[in-house]
Amino acid sequence: MPSFRELLAQTKAGIREVDTGEAGDRLGQAVFLDVREPDEYEQGAVPGAIHIPRGNLESQVEGRLPDHGAPIVVYCAGGTRSAFAARTLEDLGYADVVSMAGGFNKWKDEGRPWAAPRTLTPDQRNRYHRHLLLPEVGPAGQQRLLDAKVLLLGAGGLGSPAALYLAAAGVGTIGIIDMDVVDASNLQRQVLHNMERVGERKVDSAKKTLTAMNPDVKVVTYDVRLGADNILDIIDGYDVIVDGTDNFPTRYLVNDASLVKRIPVVHGSIFRFEGQVTVFSPYEGPCYRCFVPEPPPAELAPSCAEAGVLGVLPGIIGSIQAMEALKLLLGLGEPLIGRLLAYDALEETFRTYKMQRDPACPACGEGAGEIVIAEYDELCMPHPRLAPAGA
């Protein structure tokens, strides 16, 4: 049986090794793969390196490095583990792999660029462990969520489940705008609140619930009416807006402001036993004005307060809104851009409809003029298929 030295020599003979100088020439062109242990990686790494401990390489590399033809520079502390890792990658079908002789220790001693990477704390690694197991999320994706900012329009029926799941997922900053108070009639569906909070401001109740759930989350509250005079300032800096509003004036206002700031809006609506979700991504897909050019007549648009809503329904639609927001933040899958997801609770069916941008849209169309942020108080009634959240 060969000794370790003999095995190492055989391994190095079968792979390509480069010195730190040649590896440095590949910085910015090749993928740098750090195969050291987490405690080593946390002390410093090559900028932009992907970290997969040697012991996890076989199980994680396919998800983290899907391109088998991409150039890869593998390194460890001194060049031994990286040699074995390079052999493993070649066995897995990676075509352009080199091991950096001397490893990170030599790289750092020569004064080459390195940085202490941002890492999750032990408590965070435990809290988000199921996310970290997903190659599509992993530590980098979780860090992205912790850095993200999502604004919720409403802390009611749709805002409640969306807020709970976004907070649980570790979205670092959650803004909530709502100028209402908790009423006992809300509790059939607005799960952020409880009987002890009846009479409290909804934003205060929501903040208590979310911060108790996850101390990583910063909750920013806006106990104000959203209007033309403040909307651009309020939404500025947020990555995604989750819209749970229940009236046309606010929806048109949010649409126009989101186009100005180029912030995607995850729109949700509910009515009786039906709900809808779509994503309005500025100038990528249709906007709300493409979707609903004009409000319907008031007699055709009863509100949820008038027609009722099954309490579980906003939980389903709000959860889908949270999912779409996370997909946007992480760059995952196919968000509902240009598609409308319709849910019927009585039939227990989901249907998806394609939506197109309107070339003549006065807000996002090719010939649209400058967007003017204005009030639309004359549009006072919600649409029967778009009524919801706070109701």
Side-chain angles (χ1 to χ4, degrees):
M1 183 174 182
S3 66
F4 177 78
R5 288 181 179 275
E6 292 172 331
L7 185 59
L8 177 59
Q10 292 173 7
T11 300
K12 288 192 173 186
I15 64 168
R16 290 184 294 158
E17 264 192 321
V18 297
D19 60 24
T20 51
E22 187 175 346
D25 293 339
R26 301 188 182 201
L27 194 61
Q29 302 171 13
V31 176
F32 275 66
L33 175 61
D34 189 322
V35 296
R36 297 174 297 162
E37 292 302 305
D39 59 331
E40 297 175 282
Y41 174 74
E42 291 171 7
Q43 299 303 312
V46 175
I50 293 176
H51 176 233
I52 306 177
R54 174 66 190 90
N56 299 336
L57 189 62
E58 289 86 344
S59 62
Q60 296 185 11
V61 69
E62 297 281 354
R64 302 285 299 280
L65 296 175
D67 184 358
H68 284 226
I72 301 172
V73 176
V74 190
Y75 73 88
C76 60
T80 299
R81 284 171 288 176
S82 63
F84 288 106
R87 168 58 65 84
T88 297
L89 291 173
E90 289 182 348
D91 291 342
L92 291 172
Y94 289 87
D96 188 1
V97 182
V98 298
S99 173
M100 186 170 77
F104 182 71
N105 292 341
K106 185 177 180 182
W107 175 280
K108 183 177 177 182
D109 290 343
E110 292 175 345
R112 299 184 185 278
W114 67 279
R118 293 181 60 198
T119 58
L120 302 175
T121 67
D123 285 345
Q124 288 173 329
R125 285 197 292 268
N126 183 53
R127 176 183 291 274
Y128 307 118
H129 180 63
R130 298 302 190 277
H131 276 179
L132 304 185
L133 293 174
L134 295 171
E136 297 84 354
V137 181
Q142 188 60 55
Q143 199 68 255
R144 197 180 310 167
L145 291 179
L146 290 166
D147 292 338
K149 297 181 178 181
V150 175
L151 177 64
L152 297 173
L153 306 183
L158 296 180
S160 287
L164 288 168
Y165 276 107
L166 291 171
V171 172
T173 300
I174 296 178
I176 303 176
I177 180 166
D178 199 310
M179 59 177 298
D180 201 1
V181 298
V182 179
D183 185 84
S185 66
N186 302 148
L187 305 182
Q188 165 246 18
R189 64 206 173 279
Q190 299 182 15
V191 293
L192 272 174
H193 317 296
N194 58 49
M195 281 299 296
E196 294 181 355
R197 310 230 183 107
V198 170
E200 284 190 26
R201 310 304 299 181
K202 281 189 178 178
V203 289
D204 295 335
S205 173
K207 185 172 184 176
K208 290 177 183 177
T209 300
L210 299 180
T211 52
M213 169 182 284
N214 189 348
D216 286 340
V217 177
K218 175 184 178 183
V219 180
V220 181
T221 60
Y222 304 90
D223 191 359
V224 297
R225 174 186 177 275
L226 192 64
D229 60 335
N230 61 13
I231 187 169
L232 291 178
D233 290 334
I234 288 176
I235 71 173
D236 189 43
Y238 283 95
D239 301 302
V240 176
I241 297 170
V242 175
D243 181 10
T245 56
D246 60 358
N247 62 84
F248 282 107
T250 304
R251 287 173 179 162
Y252 285 120
L253 182 67
V254 170
N255 178 78
D256 295 351
S258 70
L259 289 171
V260 170
K261 293 291 186 178
R262 294 181 179 266
I263 303 172
V265 176
V266 181
H267 171 83
S269 58
I270 53 176
F271 180 75
R272 289 173 54 83
F273 304 100
E274 300 175 23
Q276 299 176 342
V277 183
T278 188
V279 174
F280 298 120
S281 183
Y283 305 104
E284 182 182 357
C287 75
Y288 186 71
R289 288 183 183 274
C290 297
F291 182 39
V292 186
E294 296 180 357
E299 64 271 15
L300 298 180
S303 70
C304 283
E306 298 170 310
V309 61
L310 191 66
V312 178
L313 179 65
I316 295 169
I317 300 302
S319 296
I320 295 174
Q321 286 183 278
M323 176 65 81
E324 289 299 302
L326 292 175
K327 286 163 60 181
L328 290 170
L329 294 173
L330 293 169
L332 293 178
E334 296 293 333
L336 289 170
I337 299 171
R339 294 184 296 147
L340 176 72
L341 181 68
Y343 172 66
D344 187 318
L346 295 184
E347 295 180 358
E348 205 65 73
T349 58
F350 288 92
R351 294 182 175 89
T352 304
Y353 303 93
K354 290 185 177 180
M355 304 192 324
Q356 302 293 331
R357 287 183 65 183
D358 179 2
C361 176
C364 75
E366 295 176 1
E370 181 180 355
I371 295 176
V372 177
I373 305 301
E375 301 284 356
Y376 299 93
D377 288 337
E378 72 278 7
L379 309 177
C380 59
M381 295 297 292
H383 187 289
R385 300 295 188 186
L386 303 175

